[in-house]
């Protein structure tokens, strides 16, 4: 597919993930990386936050490096996180990160107002602790004055679009990650927003991918792609395969024409996120390469600076049978990922990983088992057998994980395109 596309004049895909960002240039039939930058959670006012000012500087730096006439720019990022603006367009408070602990005890309070099953029937979203709906409920408790002062709620890519062209908009695909969009009408669920006591003024009509919202320069438009990075990534995924959008998170699922908000889908833990062209991105969030990223970070802090490739080689060279549940929330934001991995193995009376290779092996084979189990759930929910798993995104380069996934799932693994998010972003602009 990517060999036959023509992007024409320069189109810029800005892809900001939960651990790094990139400015990618599509020109002719090629996509190339112009600028890469880190994205790390910082501490501010006792909260885990995103440094959105630094991210904006990096985005502008990357655009400036393109060196060719630009026709359009579009931003996609992870979901659920947001920025509040006052009536003058000034940012209110911090851009709090989804791994912050402010939502720890909030779900039950939300579900006391709207039961979990009712929420799922309406929105089709797995009730993950970090969803925007729970972040807003936490804000109601901890800093209600911010909601009182706020005139606009912008998801992260909406905020960067605002900074690039001045337009205040809310794009559909990222909005669905809030848990506040009705899966069938594909608009904000006004009744639910009212029941939760959230200010209705924060929720504007949703724009769709491909909407021109402003100008970066007189010759370069700002166009909303599918601003949720998963929705952009799966544009390039095969229609007849189960996909895994593999990065910090692993989003695994299929494309549907209509949402599945059945009780079986809810119990299995699947979400119905917005996609391009009317598609529903039916998927499950699996902890993903975040786990190995955290292991690597801790090892580096201990003086062992291993690359991911080196960790893969060490994992392949050892044998340890232990399997942990990659959907367990204990791995979501631990003080020590290594300690949690070891504790999970000890509690389940499995061999405890000690060496870097053993730790990596447990993560990779646990992910592979999780992928295989999720594939079985998808087949049970759809009544359809799939022979292939298409792994898109940078995580598709993890060959050892791919081989383990093929072994445990019994399905053919097709890796790539690795630049699926950037490709989908530009296609959305087009």
């Amino acid at each position: 597919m990517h060999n036959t596309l023509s992007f024409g004049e320069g189109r810029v895909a800005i892809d900001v993930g939960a651990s790094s960002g990139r400015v990618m240039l599509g020109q002719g039939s090629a996509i190339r990386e112009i600028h890469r930058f880190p994205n790390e959670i910082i501490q501010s006012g006792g909260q885990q936050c995103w440094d959105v000012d630094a991210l904006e500087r990096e985005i502008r730096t990357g655009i400036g490096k393109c060196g060719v006439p630009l026709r359009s720019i579009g931003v996609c990022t992870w979901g659920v996180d947001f920025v509040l603006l006052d009536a003058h367009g000034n940012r209110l408070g911090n851009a709090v990160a989804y791994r912050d602990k402010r939502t720890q005890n909030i779900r039950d309070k939300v579900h006391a107002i709207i039961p979990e099953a009712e929420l799922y029937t309406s929105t089709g979203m797995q009730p993950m602790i970090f969803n925007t709906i729970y972040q807003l409920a936490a804000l109601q408790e901890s800093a209600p004055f911010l909601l009182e002062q706020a005139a606009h709620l912008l998801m992260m890519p909406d905020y960067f679009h605002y900074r690039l062209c001045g337009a205040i908009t809310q794009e559909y695909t990222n909005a669905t990650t809030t848990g506040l969009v009705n899966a069938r009408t594909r608009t904000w669920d006004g009744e639910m927003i009212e029941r939760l006591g959230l200010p209705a003024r924060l929720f504007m009509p949703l724009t769709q991918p491909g909407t021109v919202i402003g100008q970066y320069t007189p010759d370069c438009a700002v166009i909303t792609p599918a601003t949720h990075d998963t929705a952009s990534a799966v544009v390039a995924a095969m229609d007849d395969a189960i996909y895994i959008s593999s990065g910090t998170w692993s989003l695994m699922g299929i494309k549907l024409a209509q949402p599945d908000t059945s009780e079986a889908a809810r119990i299995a833990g699947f979400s119905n996120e917005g996609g391009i062209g009317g598609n529903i991105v039916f998927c499950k969030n699996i902890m993903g390469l975040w786990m190995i990223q955290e292991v690597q970070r801790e090892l580096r802090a201990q003086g062992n600076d291993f690359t991911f490739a080196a960790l893969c080689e060490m994992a392949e060279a050892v044998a340890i049978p232990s399997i942990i549940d990659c959907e367990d929330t204990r791995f979501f934001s631990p003080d020590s990922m290594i300690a949690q991995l070891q504790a999970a193995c000890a509690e389940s009376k499995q061999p405890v990983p000690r060496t870097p290779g053993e730790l990596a092996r447990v993560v990779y084979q646990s992910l592979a088992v999780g992928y295989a189990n999720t594939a079985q759930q998808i087949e049970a929910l759809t009544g359809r057998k799939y022979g292939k798993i298409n792994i898109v995104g940078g995580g598709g380069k993890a060959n050892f994980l791919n081989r383990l996934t093929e072994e445990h799932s019994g399905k053919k693994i097709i890796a790539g395109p690795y630049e699926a998010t950037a490709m989908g972003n530009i296609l959305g602009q087009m």
Side-chain angles (χ1 to χ4, degrees), residues 200-276:
R201 65 180 177 277
L202 300 181
F203 305 96
M204 302 176 291
L206 297 175
T207 62
Q208 291 294 321
T211 302
V212 178
I213 60 171
Q215 297 293 131
Y216 183 68
T217 68
D219 297 320
C220 178
V222 176
I223 304 177
T224 56
T227 66
H228 187 208
D229 50 12
T230 304
S232 274
V234 303
V235 170
M238 301 169 68
D239 291 331
D240 61 345
I242 293 171
Y243 64 77
I244 302 175
S245 178
S246 181
T248 299
W249 285 92
S250 290
L251 287 299
M252 184 171 182
I254 54 174
K255 303 174 191 178
L256 294 178
Q258 296 297 328
D260 179 356
T261 60
S262 66
E263 182 67 1
R266 181 182 76 84
I267 291 172
F270 283 83
S271 290
N272 294 264
E273 299 175 356
I276 283 184

Side-chain angles (χ1 to χ4, degrees), residues 316-393:
E316 198 167 2
V318 299
I320 181 170
S322 305
I323 303 291
I324 50 91
D325 179 5
C326 294
E327 296 177 48
D328 192 328
T329 56
R330 72 190 300 166
F331 304 118
F332 173 61
S333 187
D335 294 330
S336 168
M337 182 66 74
I338 291 174
Q340 285 298 330
L341 287 167
Q342 292 173 333
C345 291
E347 290 163 15
S348 57
K349 302 191 182 331
Q350 300 181 88
V352 175
R354 301 293 182 189
T355 67
E358 289 176 341
L359 289 162
R361 178 86 188 205
V362 169
V363 170
Y364 285 128
Q365 65 194 13
S366 298
L367 283 171
V369 169
Y371 296 158
N373 292 340
T374 300
Q376 290 178 351
Q377 290 177 320
I378 290 169
E379 291 178 335
L381 287 167
T382 61
R384 177 181 174 185
K385 287 290 183 183
Y386 290 85
K388 296 173 287 190
I389 296 176
N390 184 195
I391 303 178
V392 300

